[in-house]
Amino acid sequence: MLYIYIYIYIYNIVRCGGSKVNLRPPIISTDSRFLLCASGDLVKVYSTRTEEWLHSLQGHTNQVTGIALNPANHLQVYSCSVDGTVKLWDFIDGILIKTFIIGYPLFAIYVSEKHEGVLFLHVSMATDSKNECFQLVAVHLPKSAEQEVEAKEMSVVSSHISSNPSCTAFGRGGEYIAFARHLQLNVYFFRKQKTCSFSLKATDKKGAKNAFTCIACHPTDDCIATGHEDGKIRLWRNFIHKKEYTYSTQHWHHNAVNTLCFTPEGTHLLSGGIESVLVQWQYGAGNRKEFLPRLGGSILHISVSSDGQLFCTSHSDNKITVIESSFKVCGVIQGLVKGDGVLTDLMIDPRSKALVLNGKPGHLQFYSLLRDKHLYNLDIVQQEYIYEAGLDQFEVVKAAFDIKGSWLATVEERGQKSSDLEFFLKLWAFDERTQSFVLNTTITAAHTDRIISMCFSSSKETTMLVTIAEDGQFKAWCQGADADTQQDQNFWSCDFVGSYHNLKPTNCSFSADSSLLAVSFQEVITIWSPETWEMLTTLCQPPGVIRDLCFGRLSCSKYLLGTTTRNLLCCWNLLTCALEWSSSVEVSKLQPDPLSENVAAFSYQSKHTDVFVFKPSEPRPLFTNKNVCSEKVHRAVFVPREEPLNNCDESSQWLNRSQLYFLTQNMDLLTFSTATEEDRILSSSKQLVIDDSVAVTPFYLLLGKHGQQQQKLNTQSHPAADKPQQPQGSVTIKELLHTPAHVLPAASVLCSMFVNSLLISNTGVQQDPLREEMDSEKEEEDSEEEMEACDSQQELRVQGSVDEVTLKLSKAQERELKRVRKTDFSWMAGLIDSKP
Amino acid sequence: MASFKPTKVQFLPKLGEKVTEETLYWKNYKSPVQIKEFGAITKIDFSPLPPHNYAVTASTRIHIYGPHSQEPIRSFTRFRDTAYGGRFRGDGKLLVAGSEEGLIRLFDISGRVALRQFKGHSKAVHMTSFLSDGFRVVSGSDDLSCRVWDVPSAVELSSLTQHTDYIRALAPSKLNPDLFVTGSYDHTVKVFDMRSGSSVMTMQHGHPVECVLLYPSEVLLVSTGGRYVKVWDLLKGGQELVSLKNHHKTVTCACVSSVGNKLLTGSLDRHVKVYNSSYKVAHNFDCDASILSMAIAPDDEALAVGMTNGVLSVRHRRHQKDKETLTSRRRRGPSYQVFVKGKNFAPRQDDFLVSKPVKQYLRKYDKQLKSFEVSKALDTALQTWTRTSKPDVTVAVIIELNRRGTLKNALAGRNEERCFCVLFFRHIFDPRFSRPLLMVGDIVLDLYQQVFHESPVVERLLQRLMEVLGREAELQQELLQVLGILDTLFTSLTPRKEVACVKTLQSISVLKTTDLSQEKRKIYHIYFE
């Protein structure tokens, strides 16, 4: 029974590699220190200064679709999600404060200072799935002390709005709300409870497209800026009187304006579009503007910090750029670039063990899977990227590393759509000094037609590249010094050109010791010796064109595996040149593990993908996982682990040395993870939460220093007791520092405690008196505040025992959470009381 | 924010010879000094003593020039008929020369009148030389005989008649005073030993021998004649080491450089070729007329070439200091001090360092491309200087414009003059550039179809373009035919061995793929020569 239990839980298919950070505009906290953005089902908190990912707010069960700072408390943030809930978080500590259950999928959230306790949400009324109809609703948040509240009090503001969340905006401190849909701009005045609508013609004389794409309202003036599909920006004024409205038009963008944003003082208007140029218009100064070009992918959102000192733009290449108001880029937060553009295989850089695939247009991205962090981009195309829709650009379509990671071969292509194809084969050498790849050779006309595939030889001594192309040839490229020029730089040149009956090659592969090269030509596999370029033998197993080809590794190196388009997986024994076994599986991707004999096969049958892991020596799979995902898998890679796991369980042994990552057609990067790993990840993320978010205040320095001194004392006096004591002491102080200032007890209370703590106790016993002191202080405070404190007190007492806390961190957290919630309420109540 | 990435000018393989150390060495000669003589220059000889004057035999005179003088510092004019083969003695004090009338004269360098006259040849003496002891003179004549003369007594020591045709080449050994080599129009090269009094070695050159030459080690012997240069190994009993056929016409002269013992040959096809140690042509000097004689000064300081039209062209070696003076004269602008000002300033500990941003300098066309001024950028790239001397830049800009999808815009709206310069861009048949340029031509035709007839200049240009295109197309077709012939030849040559067949086919397919017509042209040459 237990065995089955483990079996089920050992394999989890985990989404990894950072989801989109550019779905919704990021927000900058009021003190400009934190940047929050919705990413998958998380809200991620970054530091604006160091661009480090501090922690994430975890709790939603589906895509987070909107975040907004709580206008009543700038340390709290609302987030809404497709799962139908709105959550209120303390984003500095990462604590969930409250959950409001709405019940409908939510797509955007808007808040305004003027509307206390009211959230404006984009709700999809899923009456019929075909024409989704979005509604803008105002939700009145119930004032209840419970953690999960159902918010039922809703009123519909408009029942027909655009699905684009940037087409809705609050104006002039929340006096009205403007929303646009297609060619109509609506303004809803809260005071008059009335909607004015203004519409444009579908096209004007010049054939411009006038549809609205985004809206921004001036913070103090009665002015609405709208962006249009043809790149125009219109500034609407005087719209309070429906008949006398006016608008002025400004035109700089050559394509649709994606986003508009006013600075908090309203002096400037920021706009961005596909050109990837951030344009700053001076408000009221007509056409005067500033530019910040070449920011990356096209700009999707712009947001401004509340003091107007920082802008941040999110880009289509999964990137957030932090820009100072002096138009200087000061930080870039880059996620894993995914999208339609992944044309290369998934690869692993043998040196950095980073995942490599194409990222920004014309670049290869190096992404550390271990840290879930973008490492760097390697510019392959080295040309100025022109941001223009429909332009045929150079794209990196193939890339390959040699076994040591000292060479990288790339193929870039242009003109896939049109008839004249341009492509370059480039070879990059790793430069030890700069620790990056340097262009070594560019081959302009490597083949007469498109390169289908390429691979490096796997021997460590000599590097050889084999490319196969649609012109029916395969070419071997070698690095060789030119004898005549006597230059010490080694360039690559063609060594051999081979073909087989003018058939079109489909795939190529080197054996593990690179003594053999297999090239498949349609239905025939030819085996060549790279030493002499003799064709040794041909293998043929009709029917079906060979699709994938790979040699076995280690003990199975005498086997050659091939998959055909007609649902066959064949295994040949190269010693006898005979078919060893074959099985009828539709295999879309065959991926050998470089560190073991295992081969993973992805099979797509009846609309879902199955994974088989097997050794070529036996046709029986080691591991089968049915229905991994519903899409076809075309790219997969085994990533070697830093340190091998030692799972003795037979069915999980294949994951011991390396991990299997694969990319589905929806561009989700998935992996198999084991239970032990998840534990590790969780614990590491907990550790992460600590120090980074703590501001370095004089108070902290004092306390921190003091804590260190105490720890030192500890080590001197009680070396044995030191280990459990240390974390305990720091936890107390950290707790004190973590809690927001408004939640802390009064300064007078703290002061005495603080002074007490500074006194060196004559007994030499270090922390226990302090903690008791603190506990008692807290008791007092608690009893003052609420009656229900008794059980939390109990917990506080329990906390005194060291072992309890270190083992059950979750409990301590829970306690902390409760306490924060409690104090928070009282504080909110006070606020509500004070305001009329 | 990334900075603007400038247009990448593609590095194209240089057609023609590769740049090696050797070519650089041989390129390091100044442009030739031309001196007009009265007739065809048949012999040039450098004095072995510094300052290395040289004797030039032309018509009825022998002139002696100083290393850098344009005027002869001495001339010997007492010849009744054409003088031949003026040569210095090993100490540079005596000079011997033959003549058309068969008389051999011996001159003192400082005198005018012949010191000795050796009579005995019945026909013209084309070759004379001192043997290495300095007391004997050897001569080769058209009367088929080879005679050795004693200088002090002016008597004939011996006469060797072993050739069956004119003797036109002679080379004494420097190491052994009794050895000399002769070459004759009877297609043979003979080595004579005075001690035995007859030839000790005979080599068949296969063509009338124009010149023989011994390497300084005297192990290798070079003979030229016909279009061939042959190198013989004397220690192996006169075995042919290598036979070179790099000239298109008769090779008339050869010499060996003193640095690195490189072989130089001059021919009637107006070329001087320099061979490297593996007898591949390393460098090539072009001359105005057929070359008859050539000599290189010790230390390769000067290369003198004599031609049929009587022009002596002397190339002097360029030295490092010459270059320096040239560049120092040219330099203008702020002095070096300006640039290093404040460079050695050491910051103090509490100084705050503000790094100056590195400014990116862009070419003019890049600046225009950066601001999307496509038509202007094309104009900049099509400036006369750029398109003639740096066609790769022009083509790179065209390719960049095409990539941006704005090539049509850039080409549109041009007047006659600006259109003219687009059409005038004549690298269209360079296989490296033909693809983008043909595309440009296409677009131009599309754009201006309606208005071409309005301008006669453009119309004429178009007609020329059409003519050249037609010719090129014809040539291509012919070359393809040749390629087909070669294919069949190769396949018939190696019918059994499959792999070898693949390899030869591979070499052809490489040719096919790489350089379209350039390689084909080469094959064309190979095939028809």
Side-chain angles (χ1 to χ4, degrees):
Chain A
M1 203 54 207
L2 183 74
Y3 180 83
I4 297 167
Y5 180 77
I6 291 169
Y7 183 85
I8 293 166
Y9 278 94
I10 266 181
Y11 304 107
N12 271 332
I13 295 152
V14 180
R15 196 166 295 185
C16 64
S19 18
K20 273 186 165 183
V21 293
N22 60 356
L23 183 79
R24 290 290 182 261
I27 16 178
I28 303 173
S29 66
T30 322
D31 54 0
S32 302
R33 285 203 296 129
F34 302 105
L35 188 141
L36 290 93
C37 68
S39 161
D41 50 4
L42 306 173
V43 176
K44 286 189 174 175
V45 181
Y46 293 91
S47 157
T48 48
R49 268 181 225 140
T50 61
E51 308 134 39
E52 275 305 310
W53 174 33
L54 301 177
H55 54 96
S56 51
L57 312 178
Q58 214 165 344
H60 281 292
T61 53
N62 208 333
Q63 176 74 48
V64 177
T65 50
I67 42 175
L69 285 178
N70 185 357
N73 182 350
H74 62 266
L75 296 173
Q76 295 177 346
V77 67
Y78 285 109
S79 68
C80 72
S81 157
V82 183
D83 63 4
T85 58
V86 173
K87 287 179 196 267
L88 182 66
W89 310 82
D90 180 333
F91 62 82
I92 294 180
D93 298 332
I95 299 164
L96 176 65
I97 296 169
K98 222 168 179 185
T99 306
F100 303 99
I101 299 162
I102 310 292
Y104 299 104
L106 310 173
F107 290 95
I109 186 166
Y110 307 94
V111 291
S112 163
E113 268 178 49
K114 204 149 195 173
H115 304 277
E116 189 72 50
V118 180
L119 297 177
F120 292 84
L121 297 160
H122 270 193
V123 175
S124 162
M125 293 295 173
T127 45
D128 49 340
S129 54
K130 272 174 198 165
N131 48 346
E132 265 189 302
C133 128
F134 287 92
Q135 292 189 334
L136 183 67
V137 295
V139 176
H140 296 268
L141 299 179
K143 283 166 196 156
S144 156
E146 284 169 59
Q147 191 160 19
E148 286 204 3
V149 192
E150 222 166 307
K152 285 173 186 160
E153 207 180 323
M154 285 197 274
S155 54
V156 176
V157 178
S158 170
S159 55
H160 280 283
I161 55 160
S162 158
S163 61
N164 184 356
S166 54
C167 280
T168 309
F170 272 108
R172 206 167 134 198
E175 277 194 8
Y176 54 87
I177 188 165
F179 42 93
R181 185 166 184 264
H182 299 316
L183 292 160
Q184 196 172 35
L185 172 70
N186 301 301
V187 184
Y188 178 79
F189 296 96
F190 289 108
R191 193 167 293 165
K192 288 189 260 177
Q193 304 267 325
K194 192 180 95 180
T195 310
C196 294
S197 51
F198 315 94
S199 53
L200 293 168
K201 279 180 200 149
T203 51
D204 57 13
K205 281 168 242 159
K206 288 175 185 167
K209 290 171 274 180
N210 277 335
F212 288 92
T213 54
C214 54
I215 280 188
C217 297
H218 195 275
T220 53
D221 218 354
D222 268 335
C223 173
I224 300 174
T226 58
H228 297 266
E229 225 165 75
D230 56 351
K232 281 190 187 118
I233 295 173
R234 288 192 169 85
L235 292 168
W236 301 71
R237 289 191 180 83
N238 219 6
F239 44 81
I240 295 167
H241 315 288
K242 189 162 192 283
K243 292 280 153 63
E244 299 160 24
Y245 74 91
T246 58
Y247 64 76
S248 59
T249 310
Q250 280 165 344
H251 199 169
W252 183 85
H253 293 276
H254 68 71
N255 228 316
V257 183
N258 280 343
T259 176
L260 284 169
C261 184
F262 274 104
T263 53
E265 292 85 24
T267 47
H268 292 101
L269 172 67
L270 299 164
S271 68
I274 193 177
E275 308 89 347
S276 189
V277 182
L278 180 65
V279 188
Q280 190 180 32
W281 307 77
Q282 229 171 47
Y283 180 68
N287 230 357
R288 208 185 297 166
K289 51 195 176 283
E290 277 181 76
F291 305 105
L292 184 63
R294 285 182 285 278
L295 286 170
S298 58
I299 296 176
L300 299 180
H301 310 286
I302 302 173
S303 49
V304 186
S305 71
S306 58
D307 58 354
Q309 288 306 304
L310 285 180
F311 309 144
C312 68
T313 55
S314 58
H315 300 264
S316 58
D317 53 353
N318 208 8
K319 186 171 86 168
I320 297 173
T321 315
V322 184
I323 299 160
E324 283 171 16
S325 56
S326 57
F327 261 39
K328 219 181 97 192
V329 174
C330 62
V332 174
I333 296 162
Q334 172 85 61
L336 181 67
V337 185
K338 290 184 289 193
D340 313 327
V342 181
L343 301 164
T344 59
D345 271 337
L346 294 181
M347 283 167 301
I348 293 298
D349 177 16
R351 274 173 199 269
S352 61
K353 302 280 180 290
L355 181 75
V356 180
L357 63 159
N358 55 356
K360 296 206 303 191
H363 287 65
L364 276 185
Q365 60 176 331
F366 288 67
Y367 198 87
S368 168
L369 286 167
L370 212 69
R371 291 185 285 152
D372 192 18
K373 191 169 187 287
H374 183 89
L375 296 180
Y376 66 96
N377 273 322
L378 181 68
D379 187 358
I380 301 293
V381 172
Q382 296 182 330
Q383 272 175 337
E384 178 75 3
Y385 188 78
I386 307 297
Y387 295 96
E388 198 180 309
L391 195 63
D392 206 355
Q393 306 273 14
F394 268 109
E395 281 293 345
V396 184
V397 290
K398 296 278 178 309
F401 283 97
D402 79 332
I403 195 147
K404 284 184 288 182
S406 49
W407 288 99
L408 165 68
T410 58
V411 177
E412 64 208 56
E413 227 175 62
R414 195 185 88 102
Q416 285 100 331
K417 294 150 209 159
S418 63
S419 56
D420 53 336
L421 181 82
E422 283 178 70
F423 62 93
F424 297 104
L425 174 64
K426 281 181 177 170
L427 286 136
W428 305 75
F430 189 79
D431 188 358
E432 292 284 350
R433 202 169 47 78
T434 55
Q435 289 293 308
S436 68
F437 285 93
V438 179
L439 185 61
N440 178 273
T441 314
T442 309
I443 300 160
T444 38
H447 284 272
T448 48
D449 209 343
R450 184 193 309 260
I451 292 176
I452 299 168
S453 168
M454 61 181 176
C455 64
F456 270 103
S457 73
S458 39
S459 79
K460 288 213 157 83
E461 292 83 40
T462 54
T463 46
M464 180 188 285
L465 177 74
V466 168
T467 56
I468 57 171
E470 281 180 359
D471 57 2
Q473 288 175 332
F474 74 90
K475 288 191 184 183
W477 306 86
C478 270
Q479 185 199 12
D482 202 332
D484 284 349
T485 48
Q486 285 154 6
Q487 283 163 330
D488 37 336
Q489 277 173 310
N490 285 347
F491 296 111
W492 288 71
S493 53
C494 186
D495 185 47
F496 178 72
V497 182
S499 60
Y500 184 79
H501 292 294
N502 264 336
L503 289 173
K504 197 191 271 184
T506 53
N507 214 326
C508 60
S509 172
F510 270 103
S511 69
D513 57 350
S514 60
S515 60
L516 292 177
L517 168 70
V519 183
S520 59
F521 291 92
Q522 301 295 349
E523 294 171 2
V524 187
I525 299 173
T526 54
I527 310 283
W528 303 74
S529 150
E531 305 271 301
T532 56
W533 290 118
E534 257 179 293
M535 192 169 78
L536 301 174
T537 184
T538 57
L539 304 167
C540 185
Q541 187 66 34
V545 175
I546 304 285
R547 190 189 279 155
D548 251 330
L549 207 59
C550 79
F551 280 92
R553 308 263 156 183
L554 304 173
S555 66
C556 298
S557 53
K558 62 181 175 185
Y559 296 107
L560 172 68
L561 289 165
T563 63
T564 66
T565 50
R566 295 275 203 87
N567 303 349
L568 261 185
L569 172 62
C570 305
C571 177
W572 286 274
N573 187 338
L574 291 171
L575 298 179
T576 57
C577 288
L579 189 72
E580 191 88 356
W581 53 267
S582 71
S583 92
S584 166
V585 203
E586 157 81 32
V587 177
S588 60
K589 173 75 189 169
L590 203 62
Q591 184 66 35
D593 182 0
L595 295 179
S596 65
E597 296 99 337
N598 300 325
V599 177
F602 290 86
S603 127
Y604 182 75
Q605 263 164 347
S606 57
K607 298 205 168 174
H608 59 80
T609 298
D610 306 330
V611 180
F612 304 97
V613 179
F614 60 95
K615 285 185 181 175
S617 52
E618 42 192 325
R620 192 170 48 83
L622 288 172
F623 164 76
T624 324
N625 195 335
K626 297 260 180 193
N627 204 354
V628 175
C629 56
S630 53
E631 304 104 14
K632 230 175 185 178
V633 172
H634 276 296
R635 309 186 198 286
V637 71
F638 272 101
V639 182
R641 286 184 195 278
E642 294 232 308
E643 46 196 45
L645 299 176
N646 30 13
N647 274 347
C648 34
D649 176 26
E650 197 187 325
S651 56
S652 70
Q653 265 173 353
W654 66 280
L655 278 172
N656 277 358
R657 308 199 61 181
S658 39
Q659 215 173 347
L660 179 65
Y661 285 82
F662 54 96
L663 199 65
T664 63
Q665 273 183 330
N666 279 2
M667 295 299 158
D668 286 322
L669 188 64
L670 304 176
T671 185
F672 289 94
S673 78
T674 54
T676 48
E677 259 181 316
E678 267 171 22
D679 289 349
R680 211 184 57 217
I681 290 166
L682 273 179
S683 62
S684 72
S685 69
K686 239 163 226 165
Q687 276 173 3
L688 252 179
V689 179
I690 308 174
D691 250 336
D692 288 331
S693 58
V694 180
V696 186
T697 56
F699 186 60
Y700 169 78
L701 281 177
L702 252 175
L703 266 183
K705 219 182 261 171
H706 180 61
Q708 278 169 11
Q709 274 172 3
Q710 274 192 340
Q711 280 162 22
K712 265 183 201 163
L713 273 175
N714 282 350
T715 48
Q716 280 160 10
S717 54
H718 288 269
D722 164 52
K723 263 200 171 173
Q725 291 278 358
Q726 226 173 359
Q728 186 52 34
S730 58
V731 161
T732 336
I733 290 168
K734 255 165 211 159
E735 206 170 281
L736 193 79
L737 293 167
H738 264 270
T739 330
H742 60 276
V743 189
L744 278 176
S748 58
V749 179
L750 266 179
C751 185
S752 64
M753 187 191 88
F754 178 58
V755 170
N756 266 336
S757 74
L758 286 176
L759 294 173
I760 299 165
S761 51
N762 46 6
T763 53
V765 179
Q766 334 65 34
Q767 276 197 336
D768 286 10
L770 165 76
R771 199 182 309 116
E772 265 173 23
E773 187 96 40
M774 189 173 155
D775 287 352
S776 62
E777 297 288 357
K778 278 192 177 162
E779 274 170 48
E780 277 174 30
E781 170 208 335
D782 287 348
S783 58
E784 270 171 26
E785 280 179 4
E786 298 235 359
M787 287 304 288
E788 53 179 81
C790 22
D791 35 11
S792 71
Q793 261 181 39
Q794 296 269 326
E795 272 173 25
L796 277 169
R797 287 264 159 77
V798 170
Q799 180 226 23
S801 98
V802 172
D803 298 342
E804 274 285 327
V805 175
T806 43
L807 280 176
K808 294 191 176 179
L809 256 174
S810 59
K811 204 163 187 182
Q813 268 200 339
E814 200 178 273
R815 181 187 48 77
E816 196 181 68
L817 217 149
K818 271 189 179 168
R819 194 165 49 80
V820 168
R821 186 157 50 93
K822 204 165 56 198
T823 31
D824 203 51
F825 274 159
S826 66
W827 180 71
M828 284 244 315
L831 256 174
I832 291 162
D833 288 345
S834 66
K835 284 208 173 181
Chain B
M1 186 186 73
S3 52
F4 179 81
K5 288 172 201 157
T7 309
K8 250 194 118 181
V9 177
Q10 220 177 66
F11 177 80
L12 291 163
K14 283 235 172 74
L15 300 179
E17 60 196 279
K18 278 183 189 151
V19 177
T20 61
E21 288 279 308
E22 233 151 276
T23 49
L24 287 179
Y25 179 82
W26 291 109
K27 267 192 180 160
N28 202 13
Y29 279 96
K30 295 177 196 167
S31 48
V33 177
Q34 308 267 2
I35 301 164
K36 180 77 182 152
E37 289 287 343
F38 293 105
I41 298 163
T42 52
K43 181 74 191 168
I44 304 169
D45 191 37
F46 273 94
S47 161
L49 290 188
H52 304 304
N53 297 336
Y54 54 96
V56 177
T57 314
S59 172
T60 59
R61 287 147 203 255
I62 296 176
H63 288 302
I64 294 180
Y65 291 90
H68 289 287
S69 66
Q70 304 255 12
E71 292 296 317
I73 52 174
R74 191 160 297 281
S75 55
F76 303 98
T77 51
R78 303 285 175 87
F79 290 97
R80 240 159 281 140
D81 210 334
T82 316
Y84 291 116
R87 260 200 205 186
F88 285 104
R89 194 165 79 165
D91 58 359
K93 287 182 179 156
L94 294 179
L95 185 99
V96 68
S99 69
E100 185 66 47
E101 72 239 329
L103 211 61
I104 300 163
R105 292 180 174 83
L106 185 78
F107 298 96
D108 184 30
I109 287 299
S110 47
R112 242 165 214 289
V113 190
L115 291 179
R116 299 277 189 278
Q117 290 198 344
F118 306 112
K119 286 179 200 161
H121 282 297
S122 57
K123 279 188 177 166
V125 181
H126 277 263
M127 278 293 153
T128 56
S129 179
F130 285 97
L131 286 176
S132 60
D133 58 4
F135 305 121
R136 287 175 291 176
V137 165
V138 63
S139 62
S141 160
D142 287 355
D143 63 2
L144 317 183
S145 70
C146 215
R147 295 179 197 215
V148 180
W149 312 83
D150 186 36
V151 174
S153 58
V155 292
E156 184 186 314
L157 292 179
S158 64
S159 170
L160 306 154
T161 315
Q162 293 192 340
H163 281 293
T164 54
D165 207 337
Y166 296 166
I167 298 168
R168 287 289 169 90
L170 184 87
S173 156
K174 287 205 174 72
L175 302 179
N176 191 334
D178 292 318
L179 276 182
F180 62 90
V181 186
T182 57
S184 153
Y185 277 7
D186 63 359
H187 302 188
T188 60
V189 175
K190 283 182 194 284
V191 180
F192 289 97
D193 189 347
M194 285 300 295
R195 290 164 292 192
S196 66
S198 67
S199 78
V200 290
M201 210 181 274
T202 305
M203 284 147 284
Q204 284 294 332
H205 182 80
H207 290 271
V209 180
E210 296 284 350
C211 175
V212 288
L213 179 73
L214 276 166
Y215 266 82
S217 64
E218 308 206 337
V219 174
L220 298 182
L221 170 71
V222 180
S223 64
T224 71
R227 291 171 51 207
Y228 291 88
V229 177
K230 291 191 178 183
V231 182
W232 312 87
D233 192 341
L234 291 182
L235 286 190
K236 283 188 187 166
Q239 192 185 20
E240 183 182 315
L241 195 70
V242 73
S243 171
L244 307 169
K245 198 181 101 175
N246 294 93
H247 287 284
H248 291 167
K249 286 185 181 170
T250 306
V251 187
T252 51
C253 50
C255 62
V256 171
S257 77
S258 48
V259 178
N261 290 342
K262 299 289 171 346
L263 178 68
L264 289 87
T265 56
S267 150
L268 294 179
D269 65 0
R270 307 184 201 174
H271 292 297
V272 174
K273 302 221 178 212
V274 184
Y275 302 84
N276 62 15
S277 41
S278 54
Y279 297 105
K280 294 264 165 57
V281 175
H283 192 66
N284 189 24
F285 293 103
D286 290 348
C287 296
D288 309 327
S290 301
I291 297 160
L292 284 182
S293 57
M294 174 177 65
I296 190 157
D299 296 330
D300 301 347
E301 283 305 310
L303 175 72
V305 176
M307 283 168 282
T308 46
N309 60 356
V311 173
L312 171 73
S313 97
V314 187
R315 286 161 215 259
H316 289 283
R317 205 162 171 71
R318 191 178 287 139
H319 289 282
Q320 205 59 44
K321 60 177 189 231
D322 300 344
K323 253 187 208 165
E324 271 167 21
T325 52
L326 256 176
T327 48
S328 67
R329 231 176 279 147
R330 245 180 233 168
R331 197 172 64 202
R332 275 188 212 116
S335 69
Y336 179 66
Q337 290 304 317
V338 173
F339 295 110
V340 297
K341 198 165 64 184
K343 275 277 159 74
N344 47 5
F345 176 77
R348 259 168 280 148
Q349 203 167 23
D350 50 348
D351 277 352
F352 184 73
L353 284 174
V354 181
S355 59
K356 196 177 153 194
V358 182
K359 203 185 167 198
Q360 189 191 15
Y361 288 97
L362 293 174
R363 303 247 166 216
K364 196 176 172 193
Y365 55 83
D366 270 337
K367 275 183 199 159
Q368 283 156 341
L369 281 175
K370 190 179 171 187
S371 50
F372 292 87
E373 294 169 320
V374 284
S375 199
K376 274 187 194 165
L378 186 62
D379 279 346
T380 314
L382 278 172
Q383 272 168 355
T384 323
W385 184 80
T386 317
R387 70 164 192 255
T388 48
S389 62
K390 283 190 172 171
D392 46 344
V393 170
T394 315
V395 172
V397 171
I398 289 172
I399 290 173
E400 172 70 16
L401 288 173
N402 182 42
R403 187 181 71 86
R404 292 176 171 217
T406 46
L407 184 57
K408 203 163 183 175
N409 299 7
L411 285 169
R414 282 165 184 273
N415 54 18
E416 184 183 318
E417 214 168 296
R418 288 165 74 201
C419 195
F420 179 75
C421 81
V422 176
L423 283 174
F424 204 67
F425 191 46
R426 57 170 131 188
H427 285 269
I428 202 156
F429 298 120
D430 194 325
R432 301 172 297 173
F433 306 132
S434 59
R435 222 171 138 182
L437 290 181
L438 281 173
M439 185 172 59
V440 169
D442 238 26
I443 294 174
V444 168
L445 287 180
D446 280 353
L447 283 172
Y448 299 102
Q449 220 166 17
Q450 315 296 324
V451 290
F452 270 137
H453 58 271
E454 289 170 18
S455 155
V457 186
V458 173
E459 213 170 347
R460 213 177 310 134
L461 269 174
L462 271 180
Q463 250 164 20
R464 227 182 69 198
L465 188 70
M466 198 180 72
E467 264 172 47
V468 181
L469 268 174
R471 233 180 295 148
E472 184 71 13
E474 259 172 54
L475 184 68
Q476 296 272 352
Q477 201 173 354
E478 267 178 71
L479 289 174
L480 278 174
Q481 283 171 4
V482 173
L483 218 78
I485 297 167
L486 284 179
D487 269 348
T488 49
L489 276 177
F490 279 128
T491 36
S492 63
L493 275 175
T494 47
R496 260 152 291 159
K497 280 185 84 182
E498 226 175 297
V499 181
C501 173
V502 170
K503 271 197 174 172
T504 46
L505 282 176
Q506 162 225 335
S507 65
I508 293 177
S509 52
V510 169
L511 292 180
K512 263 184 206 165
T513 49
T514 49
D515 265 342
L516 191 77
S517 57
Q518 185 66 27
E519 295 294 335
K520 280 176 190 162
R521 245 179 240 150
K522 250 188 208 167
I523 298 170
Y524 192 71
H525 275 300
I526 294 164
Y527 193 71
F528 286 103
E529 269 171 18

